[in-house]
Amino acid sequence: MKRDIQERIQERIRFFRSFLAHPRQVGAVLPTSRWAVRNMLDMANFAEAQCVAELGAGTGVYSGEILDRLPPDGNFLAFEIDPNLVATLRERFDDPRIRIINDSAENVQDYLNGAKVDIIVSGLPFTSLPENVKQNIFKQAIRVLAPEGVMLVLQYSPLVQGDLTRMFASVRRRIAFLNVPPAFLFACRTALGEIPRR
Ligand SMILES: C[S@@+](CC[C@H](N)C(=O)[O-])C[C@H]1O[C@@H](n2cnc3c(N)ncnc32)[C@H](O)[C@@H]1O
């Protein structure tokens, strides 16, 4: 979907306003660059995903690229806690596959009707969220992820890697040097049949 430069600038202004209102919750002054978005999404197979959940969708930089990669019958739940950013997402996306949910990523399971998620995409700022919120979100992710599922995580520091290696059986890492600042990208899996270490 081609979007004009004015729309992009408007979205950046809204994002920055949300950052000023809730710096620790938003955790970045600008949305993620498209290089980092593509680099991270390339770590999972969206073409075969039936259910994808995005945590902290912001202005939708990941959401648009996820929709481009998702099959026509795929389901996509996009969680965003900030009502102003939710309004931006609702203006931007008119696609029957996406459900934009104004709730915390701590409550993903409440929206799944027992289904499992093939791919979780997180842009949440784990290092600046309260510790209990961070732990609740990791527990939710482990609970809702399909056995062969993958959780993709973008962070601006490697600090969260310790949590990820404790929670998941395997963690792969890439660094997106073209993002400002450079971003750490993780692909985390609970190997089939293994009990995750908590
Ligand atoms: C660093 S921004 C990333 C936004 C977007 N994914 C991107 O890459 O540009 C983090 C986003 O997570 C949202 N957020 C923070 N805590 C959340 C929570 N508990 N549940 C859902 N969204 C949350 C913030 O409002 C913000 O939009």
Side-chain angles (χ1 to χ4, degrees):
M1 186 183 16
K2 268 258 176 274
R3 295 175 327 108
D4 68 34
I5 191 129
Q6 219 168 345
E7 262 179 300
R8 286 167 201 262
I9 291 170
Q10 280 303 326
E11 284 168 10
R12 283 171 180 225
I13 292 170
R14 286 180 178 186
F15 190 88
F16 187 61
R17 281 203 190 119
S18 289
F19 169 76
L20 291 178
H22 309 285
R24 294 180 73 80
Q25 186 176 283
V26 175
V29 291
L30 281 177
T32 306
S33 71
R34 76 169 183 277
W35 299 290
V37 167
R38 289 181 181 162
N39 202 344
M40 183 157 107
L41 298 186
D42 287 348
M43 293 167 97
N45 182 3
F46 284 82
E48 288 181 7
Q50 275 313 299
C51 183
V52 173
E54 183 182 3
L55 316 181
T59 54
V61 286
Y62 277 101
S63 323
E65 187 73 27
I66 291 168
L67 285 169
D68 287 346
R69 295 175 184 221
L70 201 63
D73 60 346
N75 282 314
F76 176 20
L77 279 65
F79 288 82
E80 174 50 58
I81 204 162
D82 183 323
N84 294 317
L85 294 174
V86 165
T88 304
L89 291 165
R90 294 205 166 122
E91 275 168 33
R92 181 168 169 184
F93 298 109
D94 177 24
D95 183 309
R97 295 170 299 170
I98 187 172
R99 183 171 167 208
I100 296 160
I101 299 166
N102 186 195
D103 195 356
S104 172
E106 295 164 278
N107 303 320
V108 176
Q109 195 171 27
D110 297 351
Y111 297 87
L112 289 171
N113 294 323
K116 292 287 180 186
V117 180
D118 300 305
I119 305 174
I120 298 175
V121 176
S122 169
L124 294 169
F126 284 119
T127 49
S128 60
L129 292 182
E131 182 64 24
N132 67 316
V133 173
K134 179 180 85 173
Q135 294 302 338
N136 288 342
I137 293 170
F138 284 143
K139 282 185 197 144
Q140 271 291 292
I142 294 282
R143 208 172 290 147
V144 302
L145 207 54
E148 333 62 31
V150 56
M151 180 172 184
L152 304 178
V153 176
L154 174 138
Q155 292 292 282
Y156 292 115
S157 92
L159 282 178
V160 82
Q161 192 166 344
D163 287 299
L164 297 176
T165 47
R166 260 192 306 282
M167 303 284 297
F168 291 91
S170 98
V171 176
R172 267 174 62 211
R173 187 178 95 175
R174 281 184 185 173
I175 301 178
F177 290 104
L178 288 179
N179 198 68
V180 182
F184 293 83
L185 314 175
F186 299 97
C188 313
R189 289 183 164 80
T190 61
L192 195 59
E194 274 188 45
I195 298 166
R197 287 164 282 145
R198 271 158 233 252

